[in-house]
Amino acid sequence: MAETYTFDAKDLAEIEKLTAKYPEKQAAVLPVLWYAQDKFGHSDPAVQKLVSETLGVPEAHIRGVVSFYTQFYDKPMGKNVLDVCTCLSCQVCGGYDMLHYIEEKLGIKAGETTPDGQFSLQSVECLGACGYAPMLQVTNDKFVNHLTREKVDKLIEDLKAGNKPEFESNPMPQHEKGS
Amino acid sequence: MSNNWKSYKPLLIPAIPDLHEISVYEKNNGYQALKKILKDRKTWSPANVVNEVKTANIRGRGGAGFNAGLKWSFMPEPDGEPRYLACNGDESEPGTFKDRKIFEFNPHQFIEGAIIAAYAMHVEVIYVYIRGEYRPFVQKLQKAIDQAYDKGYLGKKILGSDFSVEMHTHMGAGAYICGEESSLMESLEGKRGYPRVKPPFPAQRGLWGRPTTINNIETLANVPLVMNHGSDWYLEIGPSTHPGPVLYGISGHVNRPGVYEYPAGMNIMTLINEVAGGVRGGKKLKALIPGGSSTPPLRADMLEGVTMDADSLREAGSMMGTAGMVVLDEDTDIVELVWRISHFYDHESCGQCTPCREGTGWLEKTLRKMKDGNGEMRDLDLLLAICYRMEGRTICALADAAAWPVRYSIDRFRDEFEKKCKKTVYAVA
Amino acid sequence: MPEIFIDNKRYEYEKPGKVLQFMLDNGLDLPFFCYHPSLSIPANCRQCMVKAGMPVFDREKGTFETDENGDRVIRFFPKLMTACSLDLADGIVVHTHHTDDLVKQAQADNLEFILINHPLDCPICDQAGECPLQILTYKYGPEGSRFEHKKVHKPKAIQLGPRVILDAERCINCTRCVRFTDEISKSYQLSIISRGDKNYPMTANDQEFDDPYSLNTVDICPVGALTSADFRFRARVWEMNQTPSIDMSNGKGCSTWLWTRDNMVLRVTPRFNEEVNDHWMPDAGRLAYRKFNENRISRPHMRPDETEQVRTSWNNARLTLLEELEKVSPADILVIGSPHASVEDNYALRTCFSRLGVSKFLFVPHIESGSGDGFLITDDQAPNANGVRSLGFEETEGKALAKLIETKKPRLIAILDDDLIGRTDLTREHFSEAWTVVWGTNHNDTTQAADLVIPVTTAAEHAASYVNVDGRIQRTVPAKETMYTNRRLNLEMSMGRLDHYGTKFDNWVTDANRVDCIPAWEFLIRLEDDGAASGWESSRQIMEEIAKAFPAYREVSYDRMDEENGIQLKLEQDSEVKTA
């Protein structure tokens, strides 16, 4: 069950570049965890161990960091993690409706993963897209704004088909009016 | 300045297509401030740049509203050892979504401002700390930084001078507290984001124990404006005590939410009704959170004549914060809203200091009980008591940020809270 | 001299420092949890809040501004300050709970916060009775709780490592344990994990908290979150007596407390000694308490012929030894001192056998190379190698000793408490051609091979001195009674609270745990014909004699050792003093 993870020569070269940005190796803990999570999909104990060994930073410290920052997954997650914002602006603009709609649609509760491992669903704190509420973020990456039931349906279909959402630009309304 | 906002041309994020491309930025007066300084270093000695920015009184756009130039002047004399500038793009205060606009639409103006700041403070390494949720925007900024390196605005011997500076992006990973400047430094050093005890202040002992200044992204994007046009020109924009352009993030129940750039000191009702198109669905306005979730909410009737600047908002009973305005219509359930804000602070408390670690959870639990209809009248007094016991008792301001919205909401919407409470009558034992 | 005003009383200070430590040094009370004098200052518990302010200095006049009464105008900090992180500053004014109601309120508020998620399970908690949270709550806390929700649940009874158990719900996040492993033991095995009120200290996944100093985290934990796997549920702290002592398990001689109940040592904890161990000690030294209780030799043992050892009377033992000594010439006697025995016992051994004409005294240091860590664990496994050496015992190695026995074939071998067979320097065969007497505390391979075994007291039962690897002499006092001592009558015995205020019947109910043994010197003086050649009546007198006889010990006395927590010796053979 316990998988082993390794960094290959190319990874180590990249990590070398990340560490070079800082006067101390420990500072590279977050960037290297990101790098590892991008590669392995999570930061579970085995990945933490690898990062610890790679950077020479104590493993307990890595665990402390992973558990402090919500975007690091200390266990494997679904292929797509849907982080639905339910905070403040999203709350008052229907964030919970969207969350519950997705819960119903996927048949799981927030905090759970679908049995097929396709989707994990989380209710999260403000993601910084308050003007485009309600919204969600897909696996720590692209934002999907102005959610509606239809938009959620399509997103889930797309994700099932392996299509990740595109970056949505939200221009300044002022610019639109001016141009 | 009742109506001239209509003719205002954005300065932080001008309406120029593809401005994020360095060539477009250069064509539009980009990097001219930096060139001007490096060309005439006698006139523009680091100390003079600090003075100019100090005179311009760019008030920190991250929430505290502290004069940026004054902050720079706290840096000690250079001693040949490293010093750092950390740019704060953590932007995690609910209701705030403005710095991402700079990363997307005008990253170079921020980069230029940061380089000038580094020059003024004898800094050779700049870190840009951006919240992990902004990964797509980090990528956009990184592209702009790469372009700036290619053109020689960053790196060794900038524009042929002996001034060198490196700029690195550093991505957070989901922790509101890392927007607090000492916590940001801990996070940059690869640790859990626990705020540090002050003193020592960052200018004394910052990153890796060395002098460090932390500035907000939007604050730094103002710097080229000041250096290009002079502090006198800058002081003309908006109120003299809170000058300059401001990115207003308007969200919630309005017809046209989004980020708008206008001078500081805009009339709040103008922003809601004219700029953002009024309250959605023709409903009445109930309340406004003026500058992110920690700023005390104002009732609609308290907004008369109030403008978006530090002084006016203080008088009205709130704060400018990040100018992330959350508009709430008449149907908003204030108890539900305040519970959710408390939930946020409970979730984001780092857990270091007792009053915050325990107090945020206690507030959240009590408010949850109340919004679920199980509250009792005495819980209101308890909530207030918890707030008073959290405020000013912790290392950083998160406890205050968590307490204010609760305290002021109860103060300003007490009837709504009371309506949710059971009218239990206790026999006197 | 710069001055500080605490609760309207003026104090002077010499060195820069923090207000809390200054107050503690001056015997003033202020509640705190996270602060520890030997660790960094995170100021996270927020318990030591005080109101503080500085006098306003008038630059033009060059004096402090004064009000109409001529008192200094004080500008107070807008918020309450944590005294632990507040720097001493000339003229600073501090108000504590004694003079400021807001401070008093803030301290109670903070305790209310700490307690909302703390399980109030003091009745089953090991820490109860010595728990800062419990003590400070009684003293400064609120009268009740207004918290009416479910407490946060966290893991309980987690075996963090072989010796430490975690109850995360009791944790108040002071981070002392994490700071200890980061700053003192440098094992970096702990970190706070999670966030907010879900925080608690933890190791890396599947990693054991096997830091050789792990039990120090139990000592400094201000609540019962970290408890000792060994001591857990063994006794309530108020049932035990606490006696100062020193660690016998290696050459460092850490200052310790021995905790006893019913003449059993139940645990060992470190005692602050700035010169030796600060607040810390290695885990190994704590677990060595078993040696005081278990497998003890009680009553003399002898082997009449080639059969099993049998118990015998003290008088018979004495006469047997005298008989055997009669049979041999001094040149045929091999006397081996012990780095495990005290200065006094070694001295007595040497003195008595010198009178019999023996001139050569050996000892074998107990070194395990590579086991030391440069901190509190030494290569030296014995507490008194320098002591034996300083008394003129000749140092030899195990192999050399074995060879000596093989070639010289002594007819009588006398060994002071040292398991030379157990540590494989000698084998049973080395005793086969000689008659062997061993003074021993515990049954071991060496005592079992001996012809006569004299049971002697351990460091927990006698007053005696030991010289550590750095040449520092420190002494013990009896913590538990032997068959022949009495807590109330033995003047060297430390009197605990229970001795003073309890009665024999409610505290010291068991006589069964008294071991039938005496200090080695007490037996040795009985070998003298008239029994009074040396005239010693106590180990204190022996030390007085040593102080006269050996220049290095000139300044040494029990009183001075007690007052100064040990004395640094200027050993004549300084070059030979081994440091780990």
Side-chain angles (χ1 to χ4, degrees):
Chain A
M1 186 62 201
E3 269 187 75
T4 49
Y5 299 94
T6 48
F7 287 133
D8 59 27
K10 189 177 138 282
D11 297 328
L12 291 173
E14 281 301 316
I15 288 167
E16 191 61 39
K17 271 193 237 165
L18 292 173
T19 0
K21 291 170 150 189
Y22 310 96
E24 282 175 15
K25 268 196 166 177
Q26 181 169 346
V29 165
L30 265 70
V32 173
L33 277 170
W34 270 123
Y35 187 89
Q37 185 160 300
D38 286 348
K39 183 179 167 91
F40 306 118
H42 55 80
S43 306
D44 82 351
V47 174
Q48 292 170 26
K49 195 177 170 70
L50 175 65
V51 171
S52 158
E53 282 162 2
T54 308
L55 285 175
V57 171
E59 204 181 330
H61 179 89
I62 305 286
R63 183 175 185 188
V65 168
V66 167
S67 63
F68 186 85
Y69 296 94
T70 53
Q71 288 188 289
F72 292 135
Y73 306 142
D74 63 3
K75 57 178 189 298
M77 299 288 272
K79 207 170 139 203
N80 302 290
V81 182
L82 303 182
D83 287 340
V84 184
C85 177
T86 54
C87 188
L88 198 60
S89 304
C90 283
Q91 176 201 15
V92 300
C93 293
Y96 277 103
D97 294 342
M98 283 303 127
L99 178 72
H100 296 148
Y101 178 68
I102 300 171
E103 282 180 337
E104 218 171 279
K105 194 169 167 67
L106 297 177
I108 52 171
K109 291 275 171 213
E112 295 174 352
T113 300
T114 53
D116 63 358
Q118 278 287 314
F119 294 97
S120 291
L121 180 64
Q122 304 190 112
S123 165
V124 301
E125 302 300 335
C126 182
L127 292 170
C130 317
Y132 322 113
M135 56 79 65
L136 63 77
Q137 180 169 28
V138 181
T139 325
N140 288 332
D141 195 6
K142 301 290 189 293
F143 287 1
V144 184
N145 304 300
H146 299 298
L147 289 181
T148 57
R149 290 180 173 223
E150 295 69 38
K151 201 162 173 182
V152 166
D153 292 344
K154 182 166 183 307
L155 173 71
I156 288 173
E157 284 315 306
D158 283 351
L159 288 173
K160 276 184 183 161
N163 300 321
K164 303 270 180 206
E166 294 286 310
F167 175 77
E168 287 179 27
S169 181
N170 300 100
M172 310 261 290
Q174 238 167 330
H175 293 184
E176 289 170 333
K177 209 165 56 175
S179 56
Chain B
M1 59 158 286
S2 52
N3 257 329
N4 49 8
W5 62 271
K6 283 184 177 158
S7 58
Y8 175 82
K9 290 261 182 302
L11 298 161
L12 295 172
I13 306 180
I16 299 166
D18 297 328
L19 190 56
H20 60 278
E21 293 294 344
I22 198 161
S23 53
V24 180
Y25 181 68
E26 282 175 317
K27 260 180 230 151
N28 288 280
N29 212 26
Y31 289 108
Q32 286 306 314
L34 179 63
K35 282 180 185 159
K36 177 170 122 182
I37 290 166
L38 292 182
K39 223 176 265 168
D40 185 3
R41 292 180 62 175
K42 215 164 160 193
T43 314
W44 294 115
S45 67
N48 288 351
V49 174
V50 172
N51 271 331
E52 189 69 19
V53 174
K54 192 158 95 184
T55 312
N57 191 15
I58 306 174
R59 301 189 63 164
R61 304 293 201 249
F66 194 77
N67 182 329
L70 189 57
K71 198 175 195 181
W72 294 3
S73 72
F74 295 155
M75 288 286 271
E77 284 299 308
D79 58 0
E81 296 294 313
R83 314 142 64 83
Y84 302 98
L85 169 65
C87 307
N88 188 346
D90 194 57
E91 183 154 276
S92 301
E93 175 94 351
T96 312
F97 56 111
K98 63 186 179 71
D99 292 339
R100 51 178 278 195
K101 296 293 164 191
I102 295 174
F103 298 141
E104 184 176 354
F105 297 116
N106 197 8
H108 288 289
Q109 189 164 323
F110 151 70
I111 295 170
E112 188 182 2
I115 298 169
I116 294 170
Y119 168 82
M121 293 184 279
H122 303 273
V123 160
E124 292 192 348
V125 184
I126 305 169
Y127 293 101
V128 190
Y129 188 99
I130 305 173
R131 64 182 306 189
E133 293 88 340
Y134 276 2
R135 173 185 285 237
F137 301 99
V138 180
Q139 287 158 354
K140 288 183 190 300
L141 176 70
Q142 189 58 55
K143 211 176 133 199
I145 292 173
D146 294 345
Q147 288 178 341
Y149 267 105
D150 290 344
K151 291 271 188 150
Y153 297 119
L154 279 170
K156 296 258 178 302
K157 298 195 187 309
I158 292 168
L159 301 174
S161 71
D162 63 356
F163 168 57
S164 307
V165 66
E166 305 291 332
M167 182 183 256
H168 306 295
T169 55
H170 184 99
M171 211 159 83
Y176 164 76
I177 190 59
C178 293
E180 195 275 345
E181 58 181 25
S182 63
S183 168
L184 181 147
M185 294 193 293
E186 289 286 296
S187 185
L188 247 168
E189 290 181 9
K191 304 174 191 160
R192 295 161 59 81
Y194 277 7
R196 297 179 184 174
V197 181
K198 285 142 275 187
F201 294 97
Q204 303 163 273
R205 282 176 61 83
L207 284 167
W208 300 286
R210 298 293 306 158
T212 303
T213 292
I214 298 103
N215 283 135
N216 173 261
I217 304 296
E218 185 187 342
T219 310
L220 289 167
N222 275 278
V223 171
L225 299 175
V226 172
M227 294 316 296
N228 273 326
H229 306 286
S231 54
D232 293 344
W233 170 87
Y234 186 83
L235 284 163
E236 289 297 307
I237 308 167
S240 57
T241 53
H242 200 140
V246 164
L247 294 175
Y248 297 99
I250 308 180
S251 64
H253 300 135
V254 287
N255 282 312
R256 277 197 309 278
V259 175
Y260 295 87
E261 182 190 329
Y262 287 108
M266 282 282 285
N267 182 291
I268 284 179
M269 294 316 294
T270 309
L271 281 170
I272 296 173
N273 290 327
E274 299 187 47
V275 172
V279 179
R280 225 148 58 174
K283 287 184 184 165
K284 274 200 214 130
L285 178 68
K286 178 184 244 177
L288 172 77
I289 296 173
S293 58
S294 65
T295 58
L298 295 164
R299 263 193 333 259
D301 62 85
M302 300 167 82
L303 297 173
E304 181 75 37
V306 179
T307 54
M308 284 295 285
D309 57 89
D311 296 338
S312 179
L313 279 163
R314 193 185 325 111
E315 243 168 77
S318 190
M319 285 178 299
M320 176 82 168
T322 57
M325 303 162 64
V326 184
V327 177
L328 303 165
D329 72 19
E330 55 185 326
D331 293 339
T332 310
D333 183 333
I334 293 290
V335 180
E336 191 102 20
L337 180 92
V338 174
W339 159 72
R340 189 61 185 80
I341 292 176
S342 279
H343 181 78
F344 171 80
Y345 288 108
D346 178 30
H347 185 261
E348 299 300 335
S349 170
C350 77
Q352 190 181 200
C353 302
T354 305
C356 179
R357 178 182 66 242
E358 307 297 342
T360 50
W362 199 355
L363 288 179
E364 197 270 346
K365 283 173 178 150
T366 310
L367 283 159
R368 179 191 292 270
K369 173 180 158 192
M370 201 169 276
K371 70 129 182 147
D372 289 343
N374 300 319
E376 296 170 67
M377 294 295 272
R378 65 197 168 104
D379 289 335
L380 286 175
D381 289 342
L382 177 64
L383 285 170
L384 291 173
I386 299 170
C387 290
Y388 287 125
R389 282 153 173 73
M390 291 168 69
E391 286 174 33
R393 303 264 175 95
T394 49
I395 292 172
C396 83
L398 193 141
D400 305 71
W404 290 329
V406 179
R407 173 146 78 87
Y408 287 100
S409 299
I410 295 177
D411 189 34
R412 291 168 188 172
F413 302 92
R414 189 162 180 116
D415 53 335
E416 294 207 24
F417 284 87
E418 289 186 355
K419 255 183 248 166
K420 293 254 179 181
C421 290
K422 284 188 241 170
K423 307 288 182 290
T424 324
V425 178
Y426 288 93
V428 178
Chain C
M1 192 110 67
E3 53 188 4
I4 171 170
F5 297 87
I6 300 169
D7 292 331
N8 306 319
K9 199 174 160 205
R10 182 174 175 278
Y11 299 82
E12 289 182 347
Y13 65 89
E14 285 173 40
K15 282 180 285 178
K18 305 290 184 188
V19 170
L20 176 59
Q21 186 59 53
F22 180 81
M23 290 182 65
L24 298 175
D25 292 343
N26 283 278
L28 303 173
D29 64 323
L30 200 61
F32 65 91
F33 296 106
C34 68
Y35 178 75
H36 190 286
S38 296
L39 300 173
S40 60
I41 303 173
N44 63 29
C45 77
R46 315 304 293 173
Q47 189 59 48
C48 64
M49 281 183 285
V50 292
K51 187 177 167 188
M54 291 297 295
V56 183
F57 194 73
D58 188 327
R59 273 174 206 278
E60 280 174 21
K61 288 186 193 154
T63 55
F64 290 111
E65 265 180 44
T66 49
D67 61 15
E68 58 272 21
N69 298 326
D71 294 332
R72 283 181 187 175
V73 175
I74 305 298
R75 187 173 293 142
F76 284 95
F77 293 105
K79 295 174 183 176
L80 296 180
M81 307 294 281
T82 44
C84 64
S85 61
L86 184 61
D87 283 314
L88 291 171
D90 195 7
I92 193 169
V93 171
V94 174
H95 289 299
T96 72
H97 50 283
H98 292 298
T99 50
D100 190 279
D101 286 343
L102 179 66
V103 172
K104 197 172 179 174
Q105 183 63 48
Q107 290 173 355
D109 294 345
N110 206 64
L111 278 160
E112 185 177 21
F113 277 133
I114 289 181
L115 292 168
I116 65 170
N117 281 312
H118 186 82
L120 301 174
D121 60 349
C122 310
I124 56 152
C125 177
D126 267 318
Q127 187 83 346
E130 56 177 2
C131 173
L133 180 58
Q134 194 183 38
I135 295 163
L136 296 178
T137 299
Y138 279 121
K139 210 168 166 188
Y140 304 95
E143 286 177 9
S145 177
R146 294 173 289 179
F147 187 75
E148 297 176 346
H149 307 280
K150 271 190 187 152
K151 292 181 189 251
V152 177
H153 288 298
K154 297 181 196 177
K156 292 178 90 72
I158 300 293
Q159 185 98 30
L160 269 192
R163 296 173 292 278
V164 178
I165 289 173
L166 167 73
D167 183 318
E169 290 184 348
R170 292 180 186 155
C171 174
I172 61 166
N173 271 288
C174 71
T175 69
R176 276 179 171 184
C177 53
V178 177
R179 283 178 283 144
F180 175 83
T181 57
D182 282 358
E183 296 165 17
I184 305 293
S185 74
K186 298 204 190 306
S187 70
Y188 308 100
Q189 286 183 333
L190 296 180
S191 169
I192 298 288
I193 64 159
S194 194
R195 202 161 78 186
D197 56 13
K198 292 168 195 70
N199 272 358
Y200 61 92
M202 198 60 213
T203 57
N205 296 278
D206 305 327
Q207 219 178 63
E208 281 209 315
F209 183 40
D210 56 1
D211 188 322
Y213 295 92
S214 66
L215 282 166
N216 290 289
T217 62
V218 173
D219 299 333
I220 59 178
C221 180
V223 291
L226 297 175
T227 50
S228 157
D230 181 77
F231 179 68
R232 211 165 135 83
F233 305 139
R234 297 263 315 271
R236 308 305 321 220
V237 292
W238 54 85
E239 298 168 341
M240 295 183 288
N241 250 39
Q242 209 181 335
T243 307
S245 190
I246 50 178
D247 181 11
M248 294 291 128
S249 69
N250 74 33
K252 195 73 186 179
C254 292
S255 290
T256 60
W257 289 112
L258 299 183
W259 297 76
T260 49
R261 184 186 64 184
D262 295 337
N263 287 318
M264 299 279 268
V265 179
L266 297 184
R267 68 169 176 180
V268 181
T269 58
R271 181 166 52 93
F272 176 66
N273 187 339
E274 206 176 358
E275 301 295 330
V276 179
N277 54 306
D278 205 50
H279 297 273
W280 324 116
M281 73 178 289
D283 290 1
R286 301 169 188 257
L287 300 178
Y289 77 89
R290 291 205 178 94
K291 222 185 143 191
F292 301 133
N293 305 333
E294 296 165 15
N295 192 32
R296 290 294 301 275
I297 306 169
S298 198
R299 273 187 96 65
H301 286 54
M302 63 182 294
R303 193 192 311 279
D305 36 57
E306 288 306 303
T307 59
E308 287 285 296
Q309 285 181 345
V310 293
R311 290 184 172 208
T312 184
S313 73
W314 285 96
N315 200 40
N316 201 25
R318 173 174 160 271
L319 294 172
T320 306
L321 177 54
L322 285 172
E323 250 173 57
E324 294 296 329
L325 286 168
E326 287 285 313
K327 290 183 196 161
V328 296
S329 74
D332 287 331
I333 303 175
L334 175 61
V335 182
I336 306 170
S338 169
H340 290 280
S342 67
V343 173
E344 290 83 344
D345 283 347
N346 276 291
Y347 177 77
L349 181 78
R350 197 182 151 199
T351 308
C352 294
F353 277 91
S354 293
R355 286 202 188 106
L356 296 171
V358 177
S359 58
K360 191 177 164 92
F361 299 92
L362 297 175
F363 84 104
V364 187
H366 191 176
I367 307 291
E368 276 178 24
S369 288
S371 65
D373 64 358
F375 183 37
L376 300 177
I377 300 174
T378 58
D379 283 354
D380 195 338
Q381 305 297 300
N384 195 32
N386 273 328
V388 201
R389 197 178 283 124
S390 70
L391 294 173
F393 282 75
E394 198 179 303
E395 181 170 344
T396 184
E397 282 188 351
K399 273 185 199 149
L401 178 69
K403 195 147 187 218
L404 184 93
I405 295 172
E406 287 155 19
T407 52
K408 288 269 176 80
K409 300 195 192 303
R411 291 183 55 202
L412 189 148
I413 302 175
I415 300 175
L416 187 57
D417 186 24
D418 200 347
D419 185 10
L420 293 166
I421 296 179
R423 58 172 157 124
T424 67
D425 287 330
L426 301 179
T427 65
R428 262 184 118 94
E429 271 62 58
H430 288 107
F431 292 178
S432 57
E433 291 182 38
W435 189 86
T436 315
V437 55
V438 173
W439 286 262
T441 55
N442 301 70
H443 294 289
N444 57 39
D445 294 344
T446 308
T447 61
Q448 271 151 19
D451 295 294
L452 176 66
V453 184
I454 310 299
V456 293
T457 48
T458 61
E461 290 145 335
H462 61 218
S465 317
Y466 300 81
V467 183
N468 81 354
V469 287
D470 303 314
R472 188 179 183 82
I473 186 164
Q474 311 178 100
R475 77 153 185 138
T476 62
V477 294
K480 56 188 292 236
E481 294 169 314
T482 64
M483 203 69 101
Y484 310 102
T485 55
N486 181 300
R487 294 189 73 81
R488 283 155 194 282
L489 298 179
N490 188 330
L491 297 176
E492 292 294 348
M493 189 164 262
S494 141
M495 293 284 274
R497 201 179 64 85
L498 295 178
D499 298 317
H500 283 291
Y501 305 113
T503 69
K504 190 167 171 64
F505 304 103
D506 59 19
N507 292 305
W508 303 100
V509 292
T510 312
D511 283 338
N513 296 322
R514 294 171 161 210
V515 180
D516 190 356
C517 63
I518 56 174
W521 64 265
E522 267 192 63
F523 183 83
L524 285 161
I525 55 170
R526 294 184 196 179
L527 298 180
E528 297 164 356
D529 284 342
D530 57 359
S534 54
W536 303 322
E537 284 177 3
S538 68
S539 57
R540 187 181 284 266
Q541 283 177 347
I542 301 180
M543 184 48 74
E544 282 163 9
E545 193 175 310
I546 295 172
K548 285 187 193 123
F550 291 84
Y553 289 80
R554 199 178 298 140
E555 309 285 319
V556 176
S557 71
Y558 275 17
D559 289 344
R560 228 191 113 196
M561 277 192 265
D562 292 348
E563 270 164 39
E564 298 170 30
N565 229 346
I567 303 165
Q568 186 63 40
L569 296 185
K570 287 200 181 64
L571 293 175
E572 286 162 303
Q573 323 89 310
D574 262 348
S575 56
E576 286 178 40
V577 174
K578 292 224 170 100
T579 47

